[in-house]
Amino acid sequence: GVNLIERTRTIMRASFSLFASSSSSGSTESRASPSFKFTPAPHSGYHRRRLNNTNTNTNKNDSFFEGWYFRLSISREQSASLIYHVYDPDDRSSKRHSAGAQIIAPDGEYVYKETREVGKSFHAEGHELALRLDFLDDDHSEITPKIDEKRRRADFYRVSERGTKHAGYLSTNESNRNDMESEDSPWKSSAVLKYIEWDIDVTPLKTYGSGNGGGSAGKEKENDGGVSPAGWLTSLPLLEPHYQILFAHAIASGYVECDGKRTEFTDVPFYAEKNWGGGGFPRKWFWMQCNSFPQYPDLSVVCTGANRGVVISPGTYEDVGMVAIHYGDLFVQFSPVGANKSTKTNSSYVGENVLVKSTTFEWKVHPWGRWEVVAKGDGYECIVTGACEQDLTKCKTTVLRAPAPDTESGMLPLCRETFSGDMTVSLYKINAKKERKPIFENASSGSTACLEVGGGPWEAPWEIQADVKDPLAGALAMTDVNVELVQSVGKFFGLDVIPGL
């Protein structure tokens, strides 16, 4: 049969009238940047607002986290992810004060590295997707990353040009050696031995909600901006941690090299998202993602559910979920947070852009091997399932460090994911007669979906109907606020009202 990635690349490039680079020489300078314009997703920027510029040790109770996740679906057998984080950057007394990275290489190798020299080494732009971490040498002086002829460089990672350029190099250290040598380490057989490096160019196809970043041929408009999963509430410290999909669909070219083995790729599916906030991470969650469906190359699906704390009611927890489907000119988001009825927005690219207030949002997720989600709302219904080998000794999985649910512990090995899951998705349109008509049925990812469970406990299947308990969030969701206008007015007076937007 036709190779999955070749089919995806051919149809995606034809569908979006893009001419992505086909070179994979390993040099960012030799591969052209995307030549078209695109409108980034909201909240692409770094959300930390410095409250005290003279004493960085005074904001001890002002906890903060921001994390970024980038995924490459290289082939049916290979995927890779780049995961970055920063904790309490302005409070050196915090136990979590750090910035770091964890990488899953194409053949499952894993490396994790962080530094407490956040002020000197971590930098991020406030209103665009651009960040950089330069690890320091032994005498704590900064090093400018640069490759010499012997391929030695300082450790770093970099995301630039609004998320379209990615590069980095991480060498192993004592922490990595512990991952390899400790008897109870989940990475004992998969830790990176010496180094990993990457150099990747990204061409955005769809950001989030707007269809695509650059618009299809002849339809580009500057105002084709995306949306946020929780709408304007994403700009308030209520629904924390906040969540934003940055690239629902993109293609990437470049290479990842691990311990001397280089994997080169051209125009493979790429996905990106982020979290941020001042509260703790959810106590328990699941997550499914795929944008490499063999028979539906312009389909991108993200499905997640979590048990999280209510910010304004300490000790209260709620189960929330979301399904986001981009399919050609259609975008549908199911969520228990939103207006009582579906809201529609117009775009020069999107045929119909619908945020569905779900009357039913249910899931049954097993400790490992099976994920089932059903969401019904005003005019739409979806069914999403995920499956993989249940025997952990046979399933190709990776244990990841993830944010702890408290505000002190930082990154802990709290979740497991596989890149070789099978996601099956059906989407239906419900007409005025309550008749269900399929938009598509049983779209299968094959073995290319990312499936994840995190937190816990996971002693039995987690069966839930999502229910948002935050009364303020529910009330505010009934209204709408133009956050871009609020930000522009604040900017006129020299104020950064909504950092990260």
Side-chain angles (χ1 to χ4, degrees), residues 344-355:
K344 299 183 179 181
T345 60
N346 295 320
S347 165
S348 65
Y349 178 82
V350 174
E352 188 171 9
N353 190 358
V354 186
L355 308 180

Side-chain angles (χ1 to χ4, degrees), residues 179-434:
D179 290 343
M180 291 184 287
E181 297 169 1
S182 174
E183 286 298 327
D184 59 352
S185 169
W187 308 285
K188 183 175 176 60
S189 61
S190 60
V192 171
L193 299 179
K194 295 181 179 179
Y195 73 93
I196 184 169
E197 68 174 332
W198 60 97
D199 195 345
I200 302 165
D201 289 342
V202 175
T203 301
L205 301 179
K206 300 178 181 180
T207 54
Y208 186 70
S210 65
N212 89 332
S216 55
K219 292 187 177 182
E220 180 179 323
K221 283 187 178 181
E222 286 295 326
N223 63 353
D224 269 357
V227 299
S228 296
W232 74 279
L233 294 176
T234 307
S235 301
L236 297 179
L238 292 176
L239 308 179
E240 293 187 342
H242 292 301
Y243 178 64
Q244 178 70 53
I245 294 173
L246 301 169
F247 296 141
H249 225 343
I251 51 178
S253 300
Y255 74 88
V256 178
E257 182 172 311
C258 182
D259 292 335
K261 181 181 179 181
R262 174 176 290 203
T263 301
E264 297 185 345
F265 45 86
T266 303
D267 294 348
V268 303
F270 180 90
Y271 169 86
E273 67 176 39
K274 69 186 299 187
N275 295 96
W276 72 95
F281 215 63
R283 297 189 300 180
K284 187 175 183 178
W285 72 91
F286 72 88
W287 181 76
M288 296 186 277
Q289 184 274 327
C290 187
N291 60 325
S292 53
F293 293 84
Q295 302 302 319
Y296 297 84
D298 54 354
L299 174 63
S300 176
V301 180
V302 181
C303 179
T304 186
N307 177 260
R308 70 180 181 192
V310 177
V311 174
I312 65 172
S313 180
T316 302
Y317 292 85
E318 60 187 6
D319 296 299
V320 296
M322 184 194 77
V323 179
I325 299 174
H326 293 79
Y327 177 54
D329 288 351
L330 175 67
F331 165 69
V332 181
Q333 175 188 298
F334 296 84
S335 175
V337 178
N340 277 342
K341 293 185 177 181
S342 301
T343 58
K344 299 183 179 181
T345 60
N346 295 320
S347 165
S348 65
Y349 178 82
V350 174
E352 188 171 9
N353 190 358
V354 186
L355 308 180
V356 179
K357 166 67 174 181
S358 297
T359 55
T360 298
F361 199 109
E362 300 174 339
W363 67 73
K364 182 178 182 180
V365 179
H366 292 250
W368 187 253
R370 185 71 180 173
W371 294 252
E372 303 169 13
V373 178
V374 176
K376 301 177 183 178
D378 183 24
Y380 289 90
E381 178 180 347
C382 74
I383 301 172
V384 183
T385 63
C388 67
E389 170 60 58
Q390 293 184 352
D391 188 342
L392 292 175
T393 65
K394 299 178 181 179
C395 185
K396 186 178 179 181
T397 74
T398 302
V399 174
L400 292 178
R401 291 172 171 92
D406 59 41
T407 58
E408 295 182 358
S409 301
M411 301 290 283
L412 298 175
L414 293 174
C415 74
R416 180 184 296 275
E417 71 177 30
T418 179
F419 288 142
S420 55
D422 184 7
M423 179 192 288
T424 303
V425 186
S426 298
L427 179 64
Y428 302 93
K429 178 76 172 179
I430 303 174
N431 61 24
K433 298 180 179 181
K434 305 300 181 181

